[in-house]
Amino acid sequence: MLSCCDSLTSQDGVEAKMTTAVVPGSPLPSQGDGNVYYILTDDFAYGSKLFPSGSMCFLKERLYLRSIACGTTSTRCMRVTMLDDHSIATVEAEILQPVNEEEAVFLLAINNLNERLNCFLDRCSLEVAVKATVGQQVIVDLSQHLFTGTIRYIGKISKSPLSSPLCPSYFGVELQGDGEGKGHSDGTYNGSEYFKCKQNCGLFLPLNKIQFIPALGSDPVREEPKPDVDEVVPVKAGDTIGFYLDDIFRQGIAMDVYKEGTQWFVKVCPEEEGPTDVFRDIPMDSVVKEGLLSPVFEPDMAPGSQRQLKRERSGSGEELESEKQSLDVNSMVQITLGKGNPVSGIIRWLGYLPSIEPKMAGVELDEEKGVTDGEWLGTRYFRCPPKRGLFVKLQSCQPDIRFQCVSSGLLDPSTCSRMDSPKVLANFPPLRNGTAVRVLQGRMRGIQGHCNSCYMDAALFSLFSCTSVLDSMLFKPSLPPDGHVQKILRDEIVNPLRRNGFVHANSVMQLRQQLTEKGQCSSFATSEKDPEEFLNLIMHHILGIEPLLKLQSGGQKEQECYCYQIFIDKQEGLVVPNVQQLVEHSFLSSNLKLVEIPSCFIIQMPRFGKEYKMFSKIIPSLELDITDLLLDSPRECFVCGDVATEECSECFKDKMFAVTGMKQYCKSCCRQAHSHYQRKAHRPTKLHVPEEFQSRSHMDSPRIPRERMELFAVLCIETSHYVSFVKYGPEKENWLFFDSMADRHGDENGFNIPIVTLCPEVAKYLQLPVAALAMEQPRDMEGVAKRLFCDAYMYMYQSKKMALYK
């Protein structure tokens, strides 16, 4: 008779095998008649059906709790119901990650399974979505164009099917500013009204199409009750007022109302100041509200003269307009306040405010020199910390010279070499998809190179711009002497890169100087280095990060390292190899196995310096299958799919077999393959078969899951100069090319201009047959594709699933 831990039967007669595998930190479900939800972190085949990674499923809560009470750990599978098609399947427990219900409803709304899994693994957007509230400002991604909007509804927009326990939750968003008219509804969906807005200004979106404001990494500002200024003073922020200044009557907009001691003051932006907002602090008893202004105060002039005055007040508007066209939400800007004091910040909102004619910008300042937290006359347009927000005329905003010095002829480029990147203390997530393009693409983007720093620039951009797999380097507790290095890396390099898209050379130089002090080498701040030398020093000797790779050779003691160098003899059959082939040949020739699945796998190609390359071209493997490279892991017979018991290194080199994949067999296939006269001399080696797989046949299900890692970056070298390619999205065309010294301004006293460009042409060559790619002349390849295929030095792969535990 089975115990309650071996097999459980629900009231509807469905048998369910249980597991006690619980991810540390994941919330246990509360007791009741609900469900426990999971997401698949890997593809899984059950019978003839394939369930892709990102699929979601559930289990009755009472069955889950009974299995926990039993405390068994021997069962590896769970019998679950899939949410997408309501089929029942037995799934490997190790590829299931628990999801609480409030997160599951948002994930279920994402139809693209790859995007769904990425949202779950990255966590940031999912956690913010759960905390989102109606009225919160957001940025909406519509066909790679970004528009501001406000959340007006959160919840389901259709009835749950009787067969499904869960209904997807969407965000109802009202588009604002330039996004007006680009929606699809007025807040109504399928005849039901969920909120009200103008026609074609409403959208219902899943969380992956929304960026929440404030930016990720910052805690939403708690709304504090504000005093009702109307009951105390006759003027409030936003009012048009008249006042005397230097015995001349002027008009302007009240930006803030505040009290010093017993005296009330109004911070005013005068209309006559032209393209620069100079704020004036005027006593309350010296101002009068627009509605109380007497006609005698209005200048006596004809309509034509009024239009002329308006043009004069706005300055040379046509000349300024072209400059402002480049400013958009998230542009870095500078604003001149009273007494000529400049402040810098980021545009968080663009549009028109009630009763104010010019187009306005809502700016989050770098310092507490603002007057708001993103609210204007009771309506929230964006969110930022108190006293960091400011509403100004768009024409008052100038592109920040620290980040746009080369692109604008109106600015003095020489100032760029003297500017430092501001520290960013809030933590920001990696940039993905359209956000990566918007923030990173362009001149003076990425990490600015200086004095042989390209090895470090390329490595840092690759590791941190679009992935979080090694973010543990930023947050792992460090000893006091090494904490400074970590702070520089996090607050002056990674966070500014993810927030602003630019890191000044001075920030990298500070890191290089610290490495020189703490390393064995005295030339990190001046000399050329290799990326692996930098990575080994900072990961191992300074930050003490656990080694990324654990290897074992022929039963000997485990070896640990951070990067893996491929060593192989020249292979006649490998003319244009891919990374998968090179890794397999290298592991086989050295008799190596991975002791565990790495979260990050950094692989150096078989080349030495700038002179010697073993292969003229190498094809990037977008996925690296490491299933057969794992020590003591169950493996499939590559002939029949049964559990493999033997491996043959000689068969691996046999041209009769496939060019990739280790050659392992079940007992019967091994006997049959080696009955051929050319293979009788082969000496297969025994494989360790886990106990639970020893009695399994290829007719059993489920199949052994494949362990795959995804490519996220490639470092390349040509004539001693390092550049990098970074994968910023799921499509084959989603590649960025980064060069920290792509251009230069000035001579000896000048500075380098880093540039990040899109390189979708890479996809064309990835799809070519190997023979056609071999015939391609490097000089004829489009764009920068030649650099990726011909100059690859280091490939970087990640396992997002394992990164959860690292």
Side-chain angles (χ1 to χ4, degrees):
M1 185 176 70
L2 296 173
S3 70
C4 67
C5 298
D6 295 321
S7 178
L8 299 173
T9 304
S10 63
Q11 292 179 358
D12 55 7
V14 179
E15 185 180 73
K17 292 185 178 181
M18 303 300 298
T19 180
T20 57
V22 180
V23 176
S26 62
L28 290 176
S30 58
Q31 297 196 24
D33 294 326
N35 300 299
V36 183
Y37 297 94
Y38 296 92
I39 187 169
L40 273 66
T41 58
D42 207 344
D43 296 345
F44 188 79
Y46 181 70
S48 60
K49 191 162 188 176
L50 176 68
F51 296 102
S53 58
S55 300
M56 296 182 67
C57 57
F58 70 95
L59 184 68
K60 292 294 183 183
E61 188 177 300
R62 60 181 178 274
L63 301 180
Y64 178 91
L65 293 171
R66 287 173 62 189
S67 69
I68 294 295
C70 292
T72 180
T73 57
S74 60
T75 308
R76 296 175 57 88
C77 301
M78 302 178 69
R79 192 166 177 84
V80 296
T81 303
M82 308 305 296
L83 281 170
D84 294 320
D85 62 3
H86 315 299
S87 60
I88 297 176
T90 302
V91 181
E92 292 281 356
E94 62 182 12
I95 68 169
L96 292 174
Q97 288 290 326
V99 186
N100 63 51
E101 186 169 336
E102 60 181 0
E103 294 177 345
V105 293
F106 291 112
L107 291 172
L108 198 58
I110 304 174
N111 292 326
N112 184 304
L113 298 184
N114 186 54
E115 286 289 319
R116 182 189 291 176
L117 181 60
N118 279 337
C119 283
F120 169 75
L121 294 174
D122 288 340
R123 302 301 300 169
C124 289
S125 59
L126 185 58
E127 292 173 358
V128 175
V130 171
K131 298 177 182 178
T133 58
V134 172
Q136 184 170 341
Q137 196 81 3
V138 294
I139 297 174
V140 175
D141 184 352
L142 295 180
S143 302
Q144 294 192 342
H145 294 288
L146 301 177
F147 303 100
T148 56
T150 301
I151 297 175
R152 300 301 187 195
Y153 172 79
I154 303 173
K156 61 183 182 180
I157 56 176
S158 60
K159 294 182 178 179
S160 302
L162 295 177
S163 56
S164 177
L166 211 59
C167 191
S169 281
Y170 294 85
F171 293 90
V173 177
E174 179 183 2
L175 295 174
Q176 297 169 336
D178 294 340
E180 289 190 9
K182 293 182 169 60
H184 304 299
S185 77
D186 59 356
T188 301
Y189 183 81
N190 281 349
S192 298
E193 183 181 280
Y194 295 95
F195 63 94
K196 288 184 178 181
C197 67
K198 296 178 184 178
Q199 187 67 35
N200 294 328
C201 287
L203 284 172
F204 293 92
L205 299 167
L207 76 96
N208 62 315
K209 295 296 183 182
I210 289 177
Q211 299 172 42
F212 297 89
I213 299 175
L216 299 178
S218 300
D219 293 331
V221 180
R222 184 182 300 275
E223 296 288 341
E224 298 292 345
K226 298 182 178 180
D228 189 348
V229 178
D230 281 333
E231 296 181 1
V232 181
V233 293
V235 175
K236 63 180 183 295
D239 286 345
T240 299
I241 60 172
F243 61 97
Y244 279 97
L245 183 66
D246 299 328
D247 295 328
I248 299 175
F249 182 79
R250 303 174 185 267
Q251 287 183 275
I253 301 170
M255 306 302 296
D256 189 26
V257 178
Y258 64 95
K259 190 175 184 180
E260 287 188 0
T262 59
Q263 179 74 40
W264 283 92
F265 289 88
V266 182
K267 186 180 289 292
V268 183
C269 177
E271 292 183 352
E272 288 82 356
E273 298 294 343
T276 301
D277 283 338
V278 178
F279 295 99
R280 308 289 187 178
D281 296 293
I282 309 296
M284 179 65 71
D285 54 13
S286 298
V287 304
V288 60
K289 199 171 179 179
E290 181 184 41
L292 303 177
L293 288 176
S294 168
V296 300
F297 289 120
E298 296 294 330
D300 184 15
M301 59 179 66
S305 300
Q306 292 176 358
R307 287 193 295 269
Q308 176 65 26
L309 177 60
K310 191 171 183 179
R311 284 196 294 268
E312 291 174 357
R313 287 179 178 178
S314 65
S316 54
E318 292 181 0
E319 296 176 6
L320 291 170
E321 184 60 29
S322 60
E323 178 185 339
K324 306 311 171 193
Q325 287 177 353
S326 62
L327 296 181
D328 204 343
V329 172
N330 288 324
S331 292
M332 303 290 296
V333 295
Q334 287 187 324
I335 305 163
T336 301
L337 300 180
K339 300 180 182 179
N341 296 323
V343 294
S344 58
I346 299 178
I347 294 178
R348 295 302 189 192
W349 173 84
L350 286 175
Y352 294 90
L353 294 173
S355 304
I356 298 179
E357 185 175 333
K359 190 172 185 178
M360 303 292 287
V363 181
E364 179 183 351
L365 302 178
D366 294 337
E367 307 171 77
E368 290 189 359
K369 293 185 177 181
V371 297
T372 179
D373 61 356
E375 189 175 291
W376 178 269
L377 298 183
T379 300
R380 179 165 298 285
Y381 293 90
F382 66 96
R383 286 177 181 269
C384 68
K387 296 186 179 180
R388 293 276 289 276
L390 195 63
F391 289 93
V392 296
K393 295 186 291 260
L394 179 59
Q395 67 178 24
S396 302
C397 299
Q398 305 292 333
D400 195 323
I401 62 175
R402 294 172 296 181
F403 310 111
Q404 299 291 341
C405 55
V406 178
S407 61
S408 174
L410 300 175
L411 300 172
D412 180 9
S414 63
T415 58
C416 290
S417 61
R418 302 192 299 270
M419 299 297 292
D420 293 328
S421 298
K423 291 182 181 179
V424 178
L425 302 182
N427 298 317
F428 287 78
L431 302 165
R432 298 290 295 172
N433 302 316
T435 305
V437 175
R438 174 177 52 79
V439 175
L440 293 174
Q441 182 188 13
R443 293 172 66 84
M444 220 60 182
R445 286 290 184 264
I447 302 174
Q448 186 181 36
H450 175 66
C451 191
N452 300 316
S453 69
C454 61
Y455 71 95
M456 190 178 295
D457 306 328
L460 290 171
F461 187 86
S462 298
L463 288 174
F464 294 108
S465 60
C466 297
T467 180
S468 59
V469 68
L470 287 182
D471 276 14
S472 57
M473 293 175 61
L474 310 177
F475 306 110
K476 179 183 180 295
S478 300
L479 296 175
D482 302 327
H484 186 51
V485 172
Q486 190 179 53
K487 287 181 179 179
I488 294 174
L489 179 63
R490 181 184 63 238
D491 300 337
E492 299 188 38
I493 297 177
V494 177
N495 284 332
L497 177 65
R498 292 174 176 177
R499 179 182 187 255
N500 308 324
F502 176 77
V503 178
H504 194 276
N506 287 356
S507 298
V508 179
M509 180 56 74
Q510 287 188 59
L511 180 62
R512 296 171 73 187
Q513 291 169 345
Q514 288 293 314
L515 296 181
T516 298
E517 293 177 8
K518 298 177 181 299
Q520 307 295 323
C521 178
S522 60
S523 57
F524 260 98
T526 56
S527 303
E528 295 180 10
K529 299 291 178 185
D530 291 323
E532 65 272 18
E533 187 177 356
F534 159 59
L535 294 176
N536 280 321
L537 176 61
I538 194 169
M539 288 184 185
H540 176 53
H541 296 286
I542 297 180
L543 298 181
I545 301 296
E546 182 181 347
L548 302 179
L549 299 176
K550 294 183 180 181
L551 304 168
Q552 191 177 90
S553 176
Q556 299 178 9
K557 185 179 178 181
E558 288 183 12
Q559 306 171 43
E560 296 181 337
C561 57
Y562 295 89
C563 306
Y564 177 72
Q565 171 70 63
I566 287 180
F567 291 104
I568 58 172
D569 296 327
K570 184 70 175 178
Q571 306 286 327
E572 292 183 2
L574 293 178
V575 179
V576 183
N578 58 39
V579 178
Q580 181 80 43
Q581 291 172 312
L582 294 177
V583 172
E584 289 176 350
H585 276 83
S586 181
F587 267 58
L588 191 68
S589 63
S590 302
N591 193 23
L592 285 175
K593 292 292 182 185
L594 289 166
V595 176
E596 62 184 22
I597 303 170
S599 60
C600 183
F601 196 173
I602 301 176
I603 307 168
Q604 295 172 242
M605 292 298 101
R607 61 175 295 163
F608 305 97
K610 60 183 179 180
E611 302 297 336
Y612 175 72
K613 293 192 294 184
M614 181 173 286
F615 302 100
S616 60
K617 295 188 188 80
I618 296 174
I619 304 173
S621 297
L622 297 182
E623 283 191 336
L624 186 67
D625 191 332
I626 62 170
T627 310
D628 299 333
L629 305 178
L630 292 169
L631 180 69
D632 295 343
S633 177
R635 292 158 64 180
E636 286 185 349
C637 171
F638 89 102
V639 178
C640 71
D642 199 354
V643 177
T645 58
E646 298 179 73
E647 180 181 56
C648 183
S649 58
E650 287 91 348
C651 285
F652 178 78
K653 304 170 186 176
D654 194 323
K655 296 181 180 179
M656 292 293 293
F657 298 119
V659 294
T660 58
M662 308 300 280
K663 302 304 179 281
Q664 63 267 342
Y665 306 89
C666 64
K667 190 172 183 180
S668 60
C669 290
C670 185
R671 183 171 56 251
Q672 183 176 356
H674 291 92
S675 64
H676 192 281
Y677 72 95
Q678 291 183 340
R679 303 189 195 98
K680 285 187 176 180
H682 291 187
R683 295 289 179 266
T685 57
K686 296 286 186 182
L687 292 175
H688 172 80
V689 180
E691 183 179 349
E692 56 268 37
F693 284 88
Q694 290 180 3
S695 60
R696 203 198 78 156
S697 70
H698 71 280
M699 297 301 293
D700 293 334
S701 60
R703 296 180 61 185
I704 295 172
R706 308 299 296 181
E707 296 293 346
R708 295 183 177 90
M709 305 187 73
E710 64 179 52
L711 179 65
F712 69 87
V714 183
L715 267 67
C716 302
I717 183 173
E718 183 183 37
T719 59
S720 301
H721 181 60
Y722 288 94
V723 296
S724 67
F725 290 82
V726 172
K727 195 85 164 51
Y728 70 87
E731 305 301 328
K732 287 186 176 181
E733 297 83 5
N734 295 158
W735 286 92
L736 295 172
F737 174 70
F738 165 64
D739 187 344
S740 65
M741 303 179 182
D743 200 355
R744 186 165 179 83
H745 175 82
D747 298 320
E748 291 184 4
N749 296 324
F751 56 90
N752 291 311
I753 301 170
I755 299 178
V756 179
T757 57
L758 300 180
C759 48
E761 66 272 13
V762 166
K764 169 186 173 181
Y765 298 99
L766 288 172
Q767 296 167 357
L768 284 180
V770 174
L773 185 59
M775 296 298 292
E776 283 282 342
Q777 293 297 319
R779 65 176 178 272
D780 297 331
M781 298 179 79
E782 296 178 16
V784 293
K786 175 257 178 186
R787 308 288 297 272
L788 177 63
F789 288 88
C790 302
D791 301 330
Y793 179 85
M794 180 179 283
Y795 285 83
M796 297 179 173
Y797 288 86
Q798 65 180 343
S799 169
K800 289 188 175 180
K801 177 175 66 175
M802 295 308 299
L804 290 171
Y805 306 99
K806 297 292 185 178

